[in-house]
Amino acid sequence: MDDLFASQPIAGATLARSDIERLIGKGPRTLIDCDLDEADLSGLDLTRWRFERCNLRRSDLAGAKLERTVWQGCRGPFANFSGANLSEAEFVGGDWNNCAMRRATLTSTRFTGSKLTGADFTEARAMHIHFEEVLLVSAKLPGFSFRKESLRRVDLSGADLRKGDFRMTVLEDCSLREAMVAGSRFEGSDLRGADLGGLRLVDAGLFRGATISREQAGQLLVELGLNVR
């Protein structure tokens, strides 16, 4: 009987670390509409847990094991995922503005329809990561690798992308407007679907080997103050 109830979702509860610890070891759990505001979940093993429409504002998940977790429609502004393992995790919808993912493991992690404005991905270990319909405005992504990925409707306006790897990356309906791209690599990338506004011509050398449109080439010249006719 205990095993039967262990598989039931938990809905509408306010949960602290002690509550979560009592649930660990009974298999992956599903939390729906739960309040984890400022909860300390650091270092816990929550592999394959599912969170739906939960409040995780300022929650601390640093160093937690979060492989194959699902976060659907959650709100987690300023949540701390530093050093967590989020391999094969899925973030579907939700607001994660200013969250910290410093040094997190993001192998095959998927972000879809999510707000990550101001998020900090510094030193994150990313491979085969997927972004689609995501706001990464003013996010910190220095040295981040998007190599060979396809970015769809991703807004990177004002983001820190210095020394990023965009080689052979395809950008569809994306924005790099006023992003910091010094030292980044774009060889073989397709930028025809990206807004390059605000990037100075001094940055144009970074796009050597990338494909851009005639309109974008004119836009870069306009940024230099030239009249393109």
Side-chain angles (χ1 to χ4, degrees):
M1 186 63 70
D2 288 342
D3 291 340
L4 175 62
F5 285 106
S7 64
Q8 298 300 310
I10 297 172
T14 298
L15 303 171
R17 182 184 182 91
S18 57
D19 302 312
I20 300 297
E21 287 178 328
R22 283 194 289 270
L23 297 171
I24 293 174
K26 300 177 181 179
R29 303 306 301 260
T30 297
L31 307 184
I32 302 173
D33 295 318
C34 288
D35 189 351
L36 293 152
D37 188 355
E38 298 188 7
D40 178 7
L41 308 179
S42 59
L44 297 182
D45 187 348
L46 305 178
T47 301
R48 297 177 61 197
W49 280 44
R50 184 181 184 92
F51 300 81
E52 298 182 14
R53 301 185 304 277
C54 292
N55 173 28
L56 292 123
R57 186 184 67 88
R58 296 189 183 279
S59 58
D60 186 1
L61 293 126
K65 296 179 180 179
L66 304 171
E67 298 98 316
R68 300 178 69 185
T69 49
V70 176
W71 312 79
Q72 183 169 355
C74 296
R75 296 190 72 256
F78 297 96
N80 182 18
F81 290 95
S82 297
N85 190 338
L86 285 157
S87 297
E88 299 185 58
E90 291 188 48
F91 290 79
V92 183
D95 185 350
W96 299 95
N97 75 79
N98 293 296
C99 71
M101 296 207 178
R102 298 173 64 92
R103 302 180 304 281
T105 300
L106 301 170
T107 303
S108 300
T109 307
R110 299 178 64 86
F111 294 91
T112 307
S114 303
K115 296 179 181 179
L116 290 157
T117 300
D120 188 352
F121 288 84
T122 303
E123 297 181 357
R125 295 181 288 276
M127 183 180 296
H128 306 306
I129 194 168
H130 177 84
F131 288 110
E132 184 171 354
E133 294 187 10
V134 173
L135 288 179
L136 282 162
V137 176
S138 300
K140 300 178 181 66
L141 295 138
F144 202 87
S145 177
F146 296 94
R147 187 176 183 182
K148 296 184 178 180
E149 302 298 334
S150 292
L151 307 182
R152 299 180 181 89
R153 295 181 291 282
V154 176
D155 191 343
L156 289 156
S157 301
D160 182 355
L161 304 173
R162 290 173 295 178
K163 298 184 178 180
D165 190 349
F166 288 86
R167 288 176 293 172
M168 293 173 279
T169 301
V170 178
L171 281 72
E172 300 177 19
D173 196 16
C174 295
S175 177
L176 293 174
R177 177 171 287 274
E178 297 184 351
M180 293 179 278
V181 296
S184 294
R185 301 186 64 180
F186 289 90
E187 299 100 298
S189 62
D190 187 342
L191 304 176
R192 289 174 293 180
D195 180 355
L196 304 180
L199 298 180
R200 299 165 301 167
L201 193 64
V202 69
D203 298 317
L206 299 172
F207 302 125
R208 186 174 292 109
T211 300
I212 64 174
S213 67
R214 294 180 184 276
E215 181 180 355
Q216 288 170 317
Q219 187 179 41
L220 289 172
L221 290 171
V222 169
E223 294 294 339
L224 187 62
L226 299 175
N227 294 318
V228 180
R229 301 183 184 278

